[in-house]
Each structure stands twice: as structure tokens, then as C-alpha cells.
Amino acid sequence: MSITLKVCLKLPSLSMGKVIAGREGLNNIVTSVSVMEFNDTDEPDILSPNELLISALFCVKDDVDAQCRLIKKARRSGDVGLVLFYSDLILGEISPKLIRMADYLNFPIILMPENDMGLKYSDVISDVTEAIYMDRSADNYFVSDTMQILSQSP
């Protein structure tokens, strides 16, 4: 068995999150977690297969087109979803255009509770990393898991 986004949503830190886009991608396998706050969408893609991103989209907070380019680039790079923090403080509101793009790409956006500064990036990183580690130590399905991961690659 591998850890999917659907499984991650049951973890303590993500159980309060709400999927607002890209529901068709919830069966994507997650193999790592990364924070993305500063990103240049014009830089070449760096392959990061099956990585779950955490961000407040601060670097593109005032530019919806840049937000869409960013998730397109993330998807091309092999990332499987975005955990969006502090949207009420940083973005104000989430653009329907961004939601449509994420739906089109089957790129889940998990919105964390607004007005909650108690939940931190490290909570999600710890929970997801622990789940991945526990899964790897309990399972020996290398070939089938690898085939499933490769089938998700862009």
C-alpha cells in the first residue's frame, strides 16, 4: 500500500482541511512533502515526482495568472497537490480561475482552516512524513508501488 492524498486527509493535521479543487487527483501517491513559498515560474522545471506542496502562495498572492502558472508548473514537475495555508490573510479569496485550473489538471488544493494560526506547516510535514515512513517500513510492494507512481507522472 502507498500513501495517497485521500489517506493524508485522514491525518490529524490535514483532517481539518477541505478539498476545494482537483478531487480527481486524490488517489495520487505522496512520497514526500515540500514547502514552496518562493518560486519563479519562468525557471526550468525540476522533477519532483509525487511531492505534496505546502504553501500560502505568498510569492504570487496578487497575481491569479501567476498562481495558475505555478500549479501548472508544479503538475508538470510531478507534484501531486497543494496544501494551502493562511489563504484568508494572504490571498483574501481564492480565485475561481485557480480552482478551474486545478480541476482541469486534477491537482488537488487542500484549503486549511482560515483564521487558524495555531496550525503550522511543520504539523503537516510531520504527519505526512511519518505516514510515508510507517507505510514504507510495513510494506514490501516495491514493484507495484513503483508502477503506480510512474503511471501518475506527467
Side-chain angles (χ1 to χ4, degrees):
M1 181 177 158
S2 294
I3 301 300
T4 64
L5 282 170
K6 193 178 288 187
V7 170
C8 289
L9 288 171
K10 296 175 185 172
L11 298 171
S13 60
L14 285 171
S15 65
M16 296 179 288
K18 179 175 126 182
V19 179
I20 60 167
R23 287 188 182 282
E24 295 297 317
L26 289 176
N27 288 320
N28 289 338
I29 294 173
V30 178
T31 59
S32 63
V33 185
S34 185
V35 174
M36 177 195 62
E37 285 306 346
F38 300 98
N39 195 354
D40 184 349
T41 55
D42 296 326
E43 289 294 317
D45 294 346
I46 297 173
L47 191 61
S48 53
N50 304 95
E51 192 166 67
L52 177 61
L53 299 175
I54 299 173
S55 184
L57 297 182
F58 187 82
C59 63
V60 290
K61 66 183 176 92
D62 298 319
D63 187 344
V64 174
D65 289 333
Q67 293 169 19
C68 291
R69 283 193 308 274
L70 191 95
I71 65 167
K72 274 199 262 186
K73 179 181 177 181
R75 186 66 188 112
R76 269 194 324 267
S77 296
D79 299 315
V80 295
L82 170 68
V83 178
L84 184 58
F85 271 82
Y86 318 127
S87 65
D88 55 330
L89 300 172
I90 306 297
L91 299 178
E93 72 175 62
I94 298 160
S95 169
K97 184 176 182 179
L98 179 64
I99 292 171
R100 284 192 303 274
M101 178 59 69
D103 282 338
Y104 174 75
L105 297 170
N106 296 326
F107 189 80
I109 297 177
I110 302 163
L111 180 65
M112 297 310 287
E114 298 175 334
N115 297 315
D116 186 354
M117 297 300 288
L119 191 59
K120 297 179 176 42
Y121 288 12
S122 59
D123 298 326
V124 174
I125 292 167
S126 296
D127 282 353
V128 173
T129 302
E130 181 180 0
I132 292 167
Y133 175 76
M134 297 302 287
D135 182 66
R136 285 181 184 163
S137 65
D139 246 341
N140 286 325
Y141 299 104
F142 178 76
V143 173
S144 62
D145 288 353
T146 302
M147 294 300 292
Q148 189 173 356
I149 288 168
L150 289 173
S151 73
Q152 295 176 184
S153 297

